[in-house]
Amino acid sequence: MRVPSALVPRSLRARLTAGVVALLAVACVGVGIATSAALEGFLLQRLDQQLNAVGGHFPASLNPVPVAARSDVTQDRSGSGRSGSSDPADPAGPDTRGQAAGTFGACVLNGTVTQAAVVRDRTETSVRLTDADRRTLADVPVDGRGHSVTLSSLREYRVMAAHGKGDVLITGLPLEPVEETVERLRLVEAVVFGAALLATGVAGAVGVRLSLRPLRRVAATASGVARLPLAGGEVAVTQRVPDTDPRTEVGKVGSAFNRMLQHVEDALARRHASEERLRRFAADASHELRTPVASVRGHAELALRHPDPMPDKVRHALDRIRCESVRMGELVDDLLLLARLDAGRPLAAEPVDLTRLVLDAVSDARAAGPDHRWVLELPEEPVVVSGDGRGLQQVLTNLLANARTHTPAGTTVTVRLMYRDDGVEFVVEDDGPGVPPAQQATVFDRFVRAGDGRTRTGGGTGLGLAITHAVTTAHGGRVDLVSHPGHTVFRVRLPGSADGAADTT
């Protein structure tokens, strides 16, 4: 039989308490069986001693005629053999003096029960025996020891057989007092053991709870550390386990846990310092590169405007220098923006008409990607949020450029803008090849570019989606990706409400 899982204790405290109660229950059952068996054996021994003391006096008094005349035994109509006088007033009748109530006597001659009686109210009463009862009495061994038998009209008896004058005399005493005493003991044991199990369960639960308090403190410390935003740059891990006694198992665990937390804090501090140095380097390098990049671009444009004729190869080289300087300038601007966002510099907070930004961004994307099918879904009322207009415009531009440059011609790109209960939602959806599952977890990291799953038809720095994520997070929102072949959705959610709608007509 399988125990339902709902009844199986799960917690360590419940298992320990259940184990203690189960062990005590097994011990109680063992003690109960042993004491019951010992008491029953003792009472049977006392009963055998009484039978030994009584001997065959009572069954011998059932038939006072000489042995030679016992062959003339006849059966009366009741089925119990009687010989001699059957009158209870006969002075030679059965002797019931000194016999305990319920004493049974029987005479067996040549394997046949000739007399059977029991003492009731100090008088002898004949016993009606069945054939099975007669066989049972005839089979009692004459060994001077007590034997338990069951008679149909008298229930269970303890009998002892002894040799008489030519016959076998059987004396018996009822087992009912023994059984009642043993049953009473079992009932008392059940009550006492039940109360002991209940008290042990309550005391065990309290004791186990107190013993496991240090372990709960370890779990509480681990839970507190798990709630820290370690991935977001948190480096101060101040929680420690207070129980560090090396003489206890929990103290050893607490000490090892504290050492692990110290190693984690040191590693986070080193990582944070390394990231800070990298951010400062990116910001300083980007700032220092702006001037030479602008100078290269300016000189290239000035050379292209020179009125004197120049070879085509020279003009092409100057044109490439101008294009690459423009691309490098955009990269420098992106790095500077990320550096400012990493430094936690506040963004502008002004009303921004997202509807107008979406219209302009989709118009630019349609001009840059005429081979794509662009679908625009906007609400009837303008969607207005509070934020940095330039940053949000860059978010929209990056998402549309991502859909255009990483999907083949003929792809349908759907742009939706709507209010939600918790803010504003902007969705860019396409039916292109999708983002490979292996890259979806890192698609918003810096310098990550699409692999084989999406076709790249143009150059990219790998910073577009990173900027989208950083700007959205700086506005208190979030950006999510759901992608599989034939369906890719970038969903941007910003805090706001429908009350922010404004009529711009």
Side-chain angles (χ1 to χ4, degrees):
M1 181 179 179
R2 185 175 183 181
V3 180
S5 58
L7 300 180
V8 178
R10 299 296 180 88
S11 64
L12 180 60
R13 183 179 65 183
R15 290 185 178 184
L16 290 176
T17 304
V20 171
V21 174
L23 290 176
L24 181 59
V26 172
C28 289
V29 171
V31 171
I33 294 175
T35 54
S36 299
L39 178 62
E40 185 176 12
F42 173 76
L43 294 177
L44 289 178
Q45 184 179 5
R46 292 293 300 271
L47 206 60
D48 291 345
Q49 292 175 356
Q50 293 180 24
L51 290 174
N52 226 344
V54 172
H57 178 72
F58 176 63
S61 67
L62 296 177
N63 194 354
V65 299
V67 175
R70 291 182 186 176
S71 60
D72 299 331
V73 175
T74 59
Q75 298 290 333
D76 61 9
R77 293 182 181 178
S78 65
S80 61
R82 298 298 301 271
S83 65
S85 175
S86 61
D87 187 359
D90 190 344
D95 185 7
T96 61
R97 292 175 300 175
Q99 304 296 330
T103 302
F104 171 80
C107 298
V108 180
L109 181 62
N110 298 327
T112 302
V113 179
T114 60
Q115 297 288 338
V118 66
V119 176
R120 288 195 178 97
D121 298 329
R122 297 184 179 181
T123 61
E124 172 264 343
T125 302
S126 299
V127 178
R128 188 182 299 275
L129 300 175
T130 63
D131 293 339
D133 295 338
R134 294 177 184 277
R135 288 192 297 269
T136 300
L137 292 173
D139 292 339
V140 175
V142 185
D143 54 5
R145 291 186 297 179
H147 301 275
S148 299
V149 298
T150 301
L151 303 177
S152 58
S153 59
L154 298 178
R155 300 181 65 182
E156 295 186 352
Y157 259 70
R158 188 75 172 178
V159 298
M160 183 180 292
H163 289 289
K165 295 180 180 181
D167 57 359
V168 176
L169 305 177
I170 298 178
T171 307
L173 290 173
L175 285 173
E176 184 176 358
V178 175
E179 295 176 349
E180 289 181 352
T181 303
V182 173
E183 288 298 326
R184 189 178 298 110
L185 174 65
R186 290 173 179 170
L187 178 61
V188 172
E189 287 179 338
V191 174
V192 173
F193 290 161
L197 288 176
L198 180 61
T200 301
V202 175
V206 175
V208 170
R209 181 180 179 85
L210 294 177
S211 300
L212 293 181
R213 279 194 304 179
L215 193 59
R216 289 198 301 273
R217 286 193 285 267
V218 174
T221 303
S223 299
V225 174
R227 287 192 294 267
L228 294 177
L230 301 180
E234 178 68 38
V235 297
V237 184
T238 58
Q239 289 87 341
R240 292 293 187 272
V241 178
D243 304 283
T244 57
D245 188 353
R247 295 173 297 178
T248 64
E249 289 78 4
V250 178
K252 294 178 181 178
V253 173
S255 179
F257 191 75
N258 287 342
R259 289 196 300 271
M260 182 190 69
L261 291 180
Q262 186 62 48
H263 294 330
V264 170
E265 186 175 10
D266 294 341
L268 290 175
R270 288 193 295 269
R271 186 196 69 177
H272 182 71
S274 177
E275 290 179 351
E276 286 297 323
R277 288 193 298 269
L278 183 60
R279 291 191 184 101
R280 287 195 298 270
F281 170 76
D284 295 341
S286 300
H287 181 75
E288 294 297 330
L289 285 174
R290 294 187 71 179
T291 300
V293 168
S295 177
V296 170
R297 178 181 176 182
H299 284 292
E301 291 179 350
L302 180 61
L304 287 173
R305 294 176 184 175
H306 197 278
D308 296 338
M310 66 180 66
D312 293 337
K313 291 184 178 181
V314 175
R315 181 172 294 277
H316 176 72
L318 291 174
D319 186 62
R320 292 305 305 155
I321 292 174
R322 182 187 62 82
C323 293
E324 291 302 319
S325 62
V326 171
R327 181 170 174 270
M328 185 174 291
E330 295 175 352
L331 174 60
V332 169
D333 292 338
D334 291 343
L335 290 175
L336 281 174
L337 175 60
L338 288 174
R340 286 195 296 268
L341 293 175
D342 289 340
R345 295 183 183 179
L347 297 175
E350 56 186 8
V352 178
D353 186 354
L354 283 182
T355 304
R356 174 58 58 187
L357 293 182
V358 170
L359 288 173
D360 294 341
V362 171
S363 177
D364 295 340
R366 183 179 288 111
D371 295 334
H372 287 65
R373 182 171 179 266
W374 301 89
V375 179
L376 185 60
E377 298 179 6
L378 297 175
E380 295 181 358
E381 297 294 332
V383 178
V384 179
V385 297
S386 177
D388 183 81
R390 183 176 178 182
L392 294 176
Q393 181 181 18
Q394 193 163 5
V395 168
L396 299 175
T397 302
N398 289 342
L399 289 178
L400 294 178
N402 180 77
R404 172 175 54 82
T405 58
H406 296 90
T407 57
T411 301
T412 299
V413 181
T414 303
V415 182
R416 299 188 184 92
L417 181 62
M418 65 203 78
Y419 276 109
R420 293 295 186 188
D421 295 338
D422 56 348
V424 176
E425 184 176 273
F426 172 73
V427 177
V428 176
E429 178 181 349
D430 67 70
D431 56 0
V435 180
Q439 296 182 357
Q440 292 183 17
T442 59
V443 72
F444 294 108
D445 293 344
R446 299 174 187 182
F447 301 106
V448 173
R449 299 181 180 180
D452 299 334
R454 289 161 72 88
T455 304
R456 292 187 66 222
T457 59
T461 62
L463 294 176
L465 294 180
I467 292 175
T468 297
H469 181 270
V471 173
T472 304
T473 304
H475 280 82
R478 70 177 186 271
V479 55
D480 302 317
L481 167 66
V482 176
S483 180
H484 53 79
H487 182 75
T488 299
V489 177
F490 284 92
R491 193 182 307 274
V492 177
R493 293 187 179 181
L494 300 172
S497 64
D499 296 338
D503 189 0
T504 59
T505 59

